């Protein structure tokens, strides 16, 4: 099942993706800098990534397939210019980055993924999860906020028990209602969504009646609650940095969405995620 889908998998469409912007050349490798007083390391010497299909770059390169080489976190595609490429350079990224995310993963899968990451003793772990917890067949099936919190906290604890010096960068969950607003007027998007992509939000995309609006608002409110959990849990430890809601607030346009499902990030969308991550990871201070 496609991550973010609630049933079935989308079929290919005839839409042609907008031309991709060429990303800057990968940065040369930088030596790992010691953590500052804040405990944060702006130049980690290795990167592991955990989470869901966003980090696997699902549907970014072809239909119904992961494309880890295009991942914003650890990918090798220069058009995306991933976080690992920018931090480690091409050779360093190839040797010292690991994509342990899984398409379809939810918050409950994070502790296990973090255990895998800890085996590499990475300088940095990126975390992107929560969209699949909100994208269910109905809002009633969304992951309860308390369960989401417990899973995320357990994941951090498991990582730091095995690899206490690892830093963690956490991205916010995208605004699923904004994705609906972007794709609802596309006949192609509606056709794909009808196959079950994130049904809690995207079912009946042209229905603007009161019940449909309440359903979408409930999903958005749950995403906001998940993001508050990510922020609250992360700020308790100086080894963790939350993106300040940057991914949630990013206005993904049509060119930044997959041409095959109008939901996952395209190559251009992955590049924007890499931009956001690099800016936040290398900043002297965390986002406000």
């Amino acid at each position: 099942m496609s991550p973010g889908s609630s049933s079935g998998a989308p079929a290919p469409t005839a839409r042609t993706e907008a031309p991709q912007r060429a990303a800057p050349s990968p940065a040369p490798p930088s030596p790992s800098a010691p953590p500052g007083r804040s405990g944060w390391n702006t130049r980690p010497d290795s990167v592991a990534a955990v989470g869901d299909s966003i980090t696997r770059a699902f549907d970014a390169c072809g239909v119904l397939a992961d494309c880890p080489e295009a991942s914003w976190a650890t990918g090798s595609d220069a058009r995306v210019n991933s976080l690992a490429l920018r931090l480690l350079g091409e050779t360093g990224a190839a040797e010292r980055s690991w994509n342990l995310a899984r398409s379809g993963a939810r918050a409950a899968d994070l502790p296990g993924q973090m255990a895998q990451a800890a085996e590499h003793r990475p300088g940095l772990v990126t975390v992107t999860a929560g969209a699949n917890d909100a994208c269910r067949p109905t809002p009633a099936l969304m992951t309860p906020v308390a369960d989401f919190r417990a899973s995320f906290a357990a994941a951090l604890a498991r990582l730091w028990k095995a690899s206490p010096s690892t830093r963690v960068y956490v991205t916010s969950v995208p605004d699923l209602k904004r994705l609906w607003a972007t794709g609802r007027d596309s006949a192609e998007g509606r056709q794909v969504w009808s196959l079950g992509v994130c049904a809690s939000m995207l079912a009946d995309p042209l229905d603007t009646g009161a019940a449909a609006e309440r359903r979408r608002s409930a999903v958005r409110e749950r995403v906001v609650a998940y993001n508050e959990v990510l922020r609250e849990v992360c700020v308790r430890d100086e080894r963790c940095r939350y993106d300040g809601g940057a991914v949630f607030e990013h206005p993904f346009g049509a060119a930044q969405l997959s041409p095959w499902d109008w939901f996952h990030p395209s190559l251009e969308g992955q590049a924007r995620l890499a931009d956001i991550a690099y800016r936040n990871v290398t900043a002297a201070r965390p986002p406000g």
Side-chain angles (χ1 to χ4, degrees), residues 65-241:
D66 289 347
C67 186
E69 61 268 28
S71 169
W72 68 271
T74 60
S76 58
D77 192 324
R79 293 172 294 178
V80 173
N81 199 15
S82 71
L83 177 64
L85 275 179
R86 300 180 199 214
L87 291 173
L88 311 176
E90 185 175 355
T91 300
E95 296 175 348
R96 302 190 306 279
S97 70
W98 307 273
N99 193 323
L100 305 172
R102 181 179 62 80
S103 291
R106 301 181 202 167
D109 297 302
L110 288 178
Q113 291 183 354
M114 282 294 205
Q116 290 181 283
E119 294 176 2
H120 298 283
R121 301 295 191 272
L124 179 72
V125 173
T126 69
V127 182
T128 298
N132 290 321
D133 294 273
C135 283
R136 308 298 297 144
T138 67
L141 296 177
M142 294 186 294
T143 301
V145 175
D147 293 352
F148 186 89
R149 181 186 298 272
S151 294
F152 180 52
L156 292 180
R158 184 170 295 189
L159 171 70
W160 285 328
K161 181 178 181 180
S163 185
S165 64
T166 297
R167 272 56 178 175
V168 180
Y169 171 68
V170 182
T171 76
S172 48
V173 184
D175 187 345
L176 302 178
K177 192 171 185 181
R178 181 180 282 127
L179 293 179
W180 162 74
T182 299
R184 63 177 176 168
D185 292 329
S186 166
E188 294 169 340
R190 294 195 302 270
Q191 180 182 8
V192 175
W193 293 352
S194 70
L195 300 176
V197 178
C198 196
S200 56
M201 175 61 74
L202 303 179
D204 302 316
L206 293 182
D207 185 355
T208 56
E213 286 300 306
R214 284 195 299 271
R215 167 173 55 84
R216 294 185 194 109
S217 293
V219 176
R220 189 178 190 275
E221 288 168 7
R222 185 61 56 91
V223 168
V224 170
Y226 291 161
N227 284 335
E228 183 60 15
V229 165
L230 296 174
R231 186 195 66 80
E232 288 179 354
V233 175
C234 189
V235 299
R236 294 173 185 169
D237 196 294
E238 61 186 5
R239 293 168 294 180
C240 188
R241 179 171 287 192

Side-chain angles (χ1 to χ4, degrees), residues 172-176 178-179 182 243 245-253 256-257 265 268-273 275-276 279:
S172 48
V173 184
D175 187 345
L176 302 178
R178 181 180 282 127
L179 293 179
T182 299
D243 75 358
V247 171
F248 177 81
E249 294 169 1
H250 183 74
F252 288 94
Q256 294 177 14
L257 298 178
E268 178 69 19
Q270 290 284 337
R272 297 291 69 71
L273 293 175
D275 288 342
I276 292 169
R279 181 171 65 249

Side-chain angles (χ1 to χ4, degrees), residues 2-87:
S2 163
S5 312
S6 52
S7 64
T13 72
R15 176 182 167 219
T16 300
E17 188 169 10
Q20 303 297 331
R21 179 186 65 82
S25 299
S30 298
S32 180
R37 292 183 179 179
S38 68
W40 187 253
N41 185 355
T42 61
R43 289 290 175 179
D45 60 4
S46 54
V47 178
V50 302
D52 56 28
S53 57
I54 294 175
T55 298
R56 293 296 296 175
F58 183 84
D59 271 1
C61 308
V63 63
L64 300 180
D66 289 347
C67 186
E69 61 268 28
S71 169
W72 68 271
T74 60
S76 58
D77 192 324
R79 293 172 294 178
V80 173
N81 199 15
S82 71
L83 177 64
L85 275 179
R86 300 180 199 214
L87 291 173

